[in-house]
Each structure stands twice: as C-alpha cells, then as structure tokens.
Amino acid sequence: MVPEGDGVGGNREVQELDIEEIIENGDWTDVDAVKAVIESMIDGIVVVDQDGKFLFFNRVAEKILGMGSIDSPPSEWTRRFGCFTPDGSRLMSPEELPLARSMLGEEVSDFEMLIRNPGVPNGALIRTSSIPLRDEKGVLRGGVVCFRDITDLKKAEERLERLSNAVEQTADSVFITNRDFVIEYINPAFVQTTGYEREEALGKTPGLLKSGRHTKEFYENLRNTISSGGVFRGTIINRKKSGQLYRTEQTITPMKADNGEITHYVSVLKDVTEQRRQLEQEFQLRLAREVQQRYYRDTFPLIEGYDIGGAAFPVAETGGDYFDFLRKTDGNFVMAVGDVSGHGFGSALIMAETRAYIRSFVENDPDMGRILTRVNKVLAADLEGGRHVTLLLGLINPEQRTLVYASAGHIPGYLMKASGQLGYVLSSTGMPLGLFPDTVFKSSEPIFLEKGDLLVFLTDGVTEAVSPEEIEFGADRALEILKDNRACRAREIVEKINKAALDFSGENPPHDDMTTLICKVTS
C-alpha cells in the first residue's frame, strides 16, 4: 500500500507495515530496534519497491528534501522533488537518479545533486549513495538510497579551497609548524624567497633560517610569546639557503583547538629588504638634499660694477653639485662651481668637505691653482673607489677688472663679450680632485674684463640634459640663450638657461642637478 498525497510523511502506519515486511524478508528479527536506528540516523534514508513505490521515508529525508513520499512513478521524481545537476543548471533525467539506477541493480556511491523545490527554495546540495534491495534469494526487490545535506560542507570546502589558493599564490612566505616547531607546510613563495625546496624544509625547524644577527634572548622571548598564546609581530633578519641575509616583517600566530590547546603555529614573512633599502636610500637622499640646500645661495652680496646670480635646480636623485661666492677681505671675490661624482648622502658630504677646504684656503691664498693643489691633496687621502670632484675657481679683482681661474677637470666656463661674441673659454687646467695626491694645478694668466662682459660657470647637468630623441642640450645652446638674454639681470639669465635645459629634456627626467653661476660686468 502506498500513501497518497504530497504531504511530508504521508501515511506512517502503512509505511511501517511495508518496512516491517521488508525487514522480515531480510531476516531482521528486532523490527522496532531497526526502525529506531534508521530514524535516529543523521542521513536521509528512502526505500522503494521494484515498482518505485515508497516503502520507507525517514524524518531526516523529509527535512532534507523539503517533502515526504509522493504518489508518482520514478519518471516524475526529478520534477517533483526538483533534482538538478550540482551547479543547478539542468534538471536531471529520471534515469540519472541513483535510486532509479539501483532499482535496476546498480550500486551508486557519492553522487551529488542539487535539490530545489518549494520546500527547499534556496536549494540543498546532497551527496547520495544507493544500493539494490534484494530478498534472501537475491531477487531484486527495489532500492535503498542514503543521502546527506552537504550544502554547508561544500561552502566550507570552497572557503578552504579559496584560502588554500590564496596562501599558495600569495607573494609572502608562509609556513606552518606543529606545536613542537617542526615545519609541516610551506607555500611556493617560501621556496622562491629562501631557496629551500619543500623536501629540504619539511620536517625541519625554522632554525634553518636563523641569521645569527639576533641574540639568544630575542629568540627566547619570541618563543615564550607564542607558546603562551600570544601573537608575535616584528622585523627579523633571516638567512637564505645561499647564505644571503634578508629582512622580513614576520607574524607568528598560534592555532588552537576547540579546547584552547595550541596545535600549530602559522608564520607569515614579508620580504622587506628592498623596501628598507629604498627607505634608507630616500633618507640618505633627503639628508643630502638638506646638506646641499644649506649651502645654496639665493642672494649674493652687492659689489659695485658687478651683477652676480646663481642657482641649482635639483633632480629627484641628488648629485653633488656645488656653487659658491666668496668675498675676500682684500676686496676681491671668488666664484666656484663644482660637481662631486656619484649620488646620495656620500656625495653631499664630499661636497660639504670640499666647500669647507676652499673657504679655509681662499682667504689666505690668492693663487687659485695653489688652492686646488692643496684641496686635491687632502681629498685624495679621504676619497676611495675612484670618487672625485671637478671644480672651477675664478678670482675676480674688481678694481683691476681681471679674472684668474683654475679648473680641476671641470667642464669649460665661458666669457662672453657685450657684443655677444665668445671672448674666452675657461678650459680645464688639470685632473679632477681626489684622484692623484701629487697633482699640481696652475692658474691662468689674467683675463681682462670689460663692461657688458658675461662670465658663465655650468655643471654638466645642464650641458648633458638629453632630449627624447637622445640629443644632448650642449654648451652651444646655453651660450645662445646667454647671448639672446645678455641684457637681462644675472639671476634671470640663470633661470632661463636652466629652464631651457629642463624643457629640452621633455619627458626624460634629468639624471643630474643643473647648476649655473653668472657674473655680469655692469660698469
């Protein structure tokens, strides 16, 4: 006898008689005990006879499926119960159902489907297994299906899979140890960063990363923190398999069981070596810029008959450009432009050192060549690795209107006449400073100045500015601007030259500071 209607449970008395008959045919003697066991199971259990009539439908099955037994043939089961493929894209055919297949003698294991009907509007993913039901003689009598709602389990598995994929693909190194600090898992980033393959790291302790740069107390405090359930966060210097040291921001978190007992430790390491290097470099560049700016003059003392202007236009990465103007007690004055090789804080310190020596020697020595010789000797004792300084010094006697200069490997300076014609090229008179301690520098012969003459001292940041077409700005363009603007004040000409060099570079960022110093004879 089959219950009528679609209600959950249907006619329980008829079902119980039917299942008793099946149990008796299977030689199960304690019917009530068997029924009690089936009803208490966490899985849904459904039994049908050979004609597809429902013989047993436990309460769990009714809850999972959103409905009980139905008076419909197997051909209607997928539509009535709402049996879809796991992704919900297609209603399954009756022949695909595990129970229908077992009614034909097939055993089906771990078959997944989605149940969606008015009783389960949001859908329930179930995993089913079914077997044929046979009597004591082996004759096929129907089928039995067992299933379980795995919706939450699947969601948890998907979350775990996403988490696993995230850990596997993250750029940070991740490793997991047991409570005895033995490594049980490493992600690919750990291999790439440390150089240790999986087989080399698994089964070992994190001690294989020790750099020796931290004290014993440091590691003891770390272990005490995490062993007591705390989270360690800090910067650690580790050692790669190659022996190379690298700096990491590391977090070590205890993993606990439900009872609060620590079972594992998860360690996440972010390699910040390059980041720290860049921060240190930026810090050095900032210090270097401050050193440079401290010595750059925005204003120059007024000297009757002369208009003087100078400026440095720094780039993002500082060089060692230097310019200076010194008024001597005898009324003469000195113009200086220099360039220290390299970039960064070291170059700025060398520039400051050079400036100090020049200022110390200039007051008591009128010979520019001799000053360069003395500066060279002390710098050669200090500089290493080929570091050097180019420097152009010019001494002007305002009363006699003469210029005497000396140049240690610096790019030429120029004297332009009031007419716009080039009057004199101030070429180098010796090697750059700091290379050979015994180098002797000579001063030029006096060069006479006239009203309207223009002296221009440059650094190679101006002349070597490069256009997008890889063409250098060059000295000729600077001189052309000097010629076209010779009626302007010295400071204005300085700004025009440096702006022109920057505009010439276009989108190419300049690689060196641009420095220009100009002296104009006005009377």
Side-chain angles (χ1 to χ4, degrees):
M1 184 174 181
V2 178
E4 297 180 358
D6 294 339
V8 175
N11 188 329
R12 300 292 299 179
E13 183 180 356
V14 174
Q15 291 182 24
E16 289 172 1
L17 290 175
D18 291 335
I19 193 62
E20 286 176 6
E21 181 183 353
I22 297 300
I23 293 172
E24 288 175 351
N25 289 337
D27 291 332
W28 293 338
T29 55
D30 193 344
V31 174
D32 291 336
V34 172
K35 290 193 296 181
V37 170
I38 294 176
E39 281 292 358
S40 65
M41 294 180 67
I42 63 172
D43 293 332
I45 304 293
V46 175
V47 182
V48 297
D49 65 13
Q50 191 61 27
D51 295 324
K53 294 180 180 180
F54 289 90
L55 305 176
F56 185 75
F57 217 106
N58 74 347
R59 293 184 180 88
V60 177
E62 296 172 0
K63 181 179 180 181
I64 293 175
L65 298 178
M67 58 192 302
S69 58
I70 58 175
D71 185 13
S72 297
S75 60
E76 292 291 319
W77 287 353
T78 57
R79 182 182 63 82
R80 298 292 298 277
F81 286 103
C83 302
F84 291 83
T85 54
D87 62 3
S89 63
R90 177 178 63 84
L91 188 68
M92 300 179 67
S93 66
E95 294 78 13
E96 293 178 90
L97 295 181
L99 185 55
R101 291 156 62 183
S102 292
M103 290 169 57
L104 299 176
E106 182 181 353
E107 291 189 10
V108 181
S109 298
D110 297 330
F111 186 91
E112 294 184 3
M113 71 175 79
L114 179 70
I115 300 299
R116 188 168 61 214
N117 58 51
V120 193
N122 294 325
L125 189 65
I126 65 173
R127 181 175 293 153
T128 68
S129 294
S130 63
I131 58 173
L133 183 64
R134 301 179 186 274
D135 62 18
E136 58 185 2
K137 297 180 180 180
V139 178
L140 192 62
R141 296 285 305 278
V144 180
V145 66
C146 172
F147 50 88
R148 178 176 297 182
D149 187 341
I150 61 169
T151 305
D152 292 338
L153 177 63
K154 273 292 186 180
K155 290 179 180 179
E157 289 177 349
E158 290 173 357
R159 286 196 298 269
L160 183 61
E161 183 177 0
R162 287 196 297 269
L163 177 61
S164 176
N165 288 337
V167 173
E168 284 285 301
Q169 297 179 38
T170 183
D172 296 339
S173 299
V174 178
F175 67 88
I176 300 175
T177 72
N178 60 21
R179 60 182 300 169
D180 296 321
F181 303 103
V182 176
I183 298 174
E184 295 183 347
Y185 167 82
I186 62 173
N187 71 339
F190 181 94
V191 177
Q192 183 176 2
T193 300
T194 68
Y196 288 103
E197 298 294 337
R198 290 183 183 272
E199 58 272 15
E200 295 177 302
L202 297 182
K204 304 295 193 306
T205 69
L208 84 168
L209 300 178
K210 277 190 176 181
S211 64
R213 294 298 182 93
H214 299 284
T215 64
K216 180 180 179 181
E217 290 74 20
F218 173 85
Y219 290 109
E220 287 179 352
N221 290 335
L222 187 159
R223 178 170 292 203
N224 291 335
T225 297
I226 60 178
S227 296
S228 60
V231 177
F232 170 83
R233 295 183 179 88
T235 301
I236 297 180
I237 299 175
N238 287 326
R239 187 183 300 275
K240 300 183 180 184
K241 181 182 177 181
S242 64
Q244 178 185 355
L245 299 181
Y246 69 106
R247 193 181 299 269
T248 66
E249 288 181 355
Q250 190 162 345
T251 302
I252 305 175
T253 306
M255 297 175 62
K256 301 178 182 179
D258 293 338
N259 61 3
E261 183 180 355
I262 295 175
T263 60
H264 294 81
Y265 298 97
V266 179
S267 186
V268 180
L269 303 85
K270 182 179 182 63
D271 187 347
V272 295
T273 306
E274 181 62 21
Q275 180 182 348
R276 288 293 294 268
R277 187 193 68 79
Q278 290 179 354
L279 287 175
E280 291 173 359
Q281 184 181 52
E282 290 173 3
F283 176 72
Q284 287 194 356
L285 294 177
R286 188 165 59 252
L287 285 179
R289 181 59 58 214
E290 291 176 0
V291 170
Q292 279 188 310
Q293 294 294 342
R294 186 176 302 172
Y295 299 134
Y296 288 163
R297 289 176 178 270
D298 291 327
T299 60
F300 293 87
L302 295 176
I303 299 178
E304 186 177 352
Y306 295 87
D307 176 22
I308 301 169
F313 292 76
V315 296
E317 189 173 281
T318 185
D321 275 14
Y322 156 63
F323 74 92
D324 207 352
F325 176 87
L326 304 101
R327 181 76 179 268
K328 293 165 55 72
T329 56
D330 62 7
N332 296 337
F333 60 90
V334 175
M335 296 169 54
V337 169
D339 189 0
V340 180
S341 64
H343 300 277
F345 189 54
S347 295
L349 289 179
I350 295 171
M351 181 271 284
E353 180 184 8
T354 303
R355 176 182 184 273
Y357 286 135
I358 292 172
R359 284 182 163 250
S360 174
F361 297 151
V362 157
E363 182 59 39
N364 298 315
D365 195 337
D367 191 315
M368 298 295 101
R370 194 159 51 234
I371 291 174
L372 289 184
T373 301
R374 297 173 66 184
V375 174
N376 175 70
K377 187 175 290 292
V378 291
L379 287 181
D382 292 344
L383 304 187
E384 297 178 350
R387 300 295 292 270
H388 60 272
V389 179
T390 66
L391 184 65
L392 173 59
L393 291 180
L395 174 68
I396 295 178
N397 185 320
E399 292 185 359
Q400 298 179 3
R401 289 194 177 182
T402 58
L403 164 70
V404 176
Y405 83 93
S407 175
H410 199 77
I411 65 170
Y414 299 94
L415 171 62
M416 179 172 286
K417 307 304 292 182
S419 63
Q421 297 296 314
L422 185 59
Y424 204 96
V425 178
L426 311 182
S427 300
S428 175
T429 60
M431 301 284 291
L433 304 176
L435 294 178
F436 305 103
D438 297 328
T439 302
V440 176
F441 295 85
K442 298 293 185 181
S443 296
S444 70
E445 294 296 326
I447 301 171
F448 290 93
L449 304 175
E450 298 175 348
K451 181 180 178 179
D453 284 355
L454 284 167
L455 276 173
V456 57
F457 292 4
L458 306 167
T459 61
D460 56 13
V462 176
T463 58
E464 294 179 4
V466 178
S467 72
E469 295 78 25
E470 300 297 322
I471 300 172
E472 284 194 354
F473 185 73
D476 289 344
R477 288 185 174 83
L479 292 174
E480 193 66 27
I481 295 169
L482 185 67
K483 177 181 178 180
D484 293 342
N485 296 277
R486 61 189 185 277
C488 297
R489 293 188 58 83
R491 176 67 187 193
E492 295 175 4
I493 301 173
V494 168
E495 292 176 350
K496 289 179 181 295
I497 290 176
N498 286 286
K499 182 179 184 303
L502 284 172
D503 292 344
F504 184 80
S505 300
E507 296 180 356
N508 285 345
H511 299 295
D512 204 355
D513 293 354
M514 298 180 178
T515 301
T516 304
L517 181 62
I518 287 179
C519 176
K520 182 176 183 180
V521 182
T522 58
S523 62

